[in-house]
Amino acid sequence: MENLEEICKFAVDKFGMEKQTWQAIEEMGELITAINHYNRNRADLKDVCTEIADVQIMMEQIAIIYGKEDVASERKYKLERLKERLK
């Protein structure tokens, strides 16, 4: 296994869609907590970066589970909409 997508597909296959979906929810909660703690000077930037990395990895798995092409299409649409709003 060499790349993110390959590793994430293997994780979904090994652990299953439901388990990885719940794991993603847990990781997002940990990111929320880390950001709240950082904003209150109870965590450092490394803690937040660690949780961002965990969430990014889990979001790759979630995209695989729910349809990576559809997610990519929505992301492109939303980025274009944001670009227009920033003008």
Side-chain angles (χ1 to χ4, degrees):
M1 288 182 286
E2 296 284 327
N3 64 47
L4 174 67
E5 185 173 2
E6 190 176 301
I7 294 167
C8 289
K9 281 182 181 178
F10 186 77
V12 170
D13 290 343
K14 180 176 175 98
F15 300 118
M17 293 187 301
E18 184 175 355
K19 185 169 187 328
Q20 292 313 90
T21 300
W22 284 111
Q23 185 65 39
I25 292 166
E26 181 178 326
E27 296 297 349
M28 289 183 283
E30 289 176 5
L31 175 57
I32 291 166
T33 299
I35 291 169
N36 283 333
H37 286 176
Y38 179 79
N39 288 338
R40 288 189 246 139
N41 296 314
R42 293 174 47 200
D44 61 24
L45 194 56
K46 184 179 183 322
D47 298 321
V48 175
C49 290
T50 296
E51 297 306 331
I52 291 170
D54 287 343
V55 168
Q56 287 178 326
I57 291 166
M58 294 311 301
M59 288 304 95
E60 179 69 21
Q61 292 177 57
I62 292 299
I64 289 165
I65 291 168
Y66 290 101
K68 196 164 179 175
E69 293 81 18
D70 291 338
V71 172
S73 176
E74 285 297 317
R75 181 176 178 209
K76 181 179 178 184
Y77 166 75
K78 290 188 178 271
L79 283 172
E80 286 298 319
R81 187 175 68 181
L82 176 58
K83 187 170 78 173
E84 290 300 314
R85 288 179 177 169
L86 294 172
K87 288 183 180 179

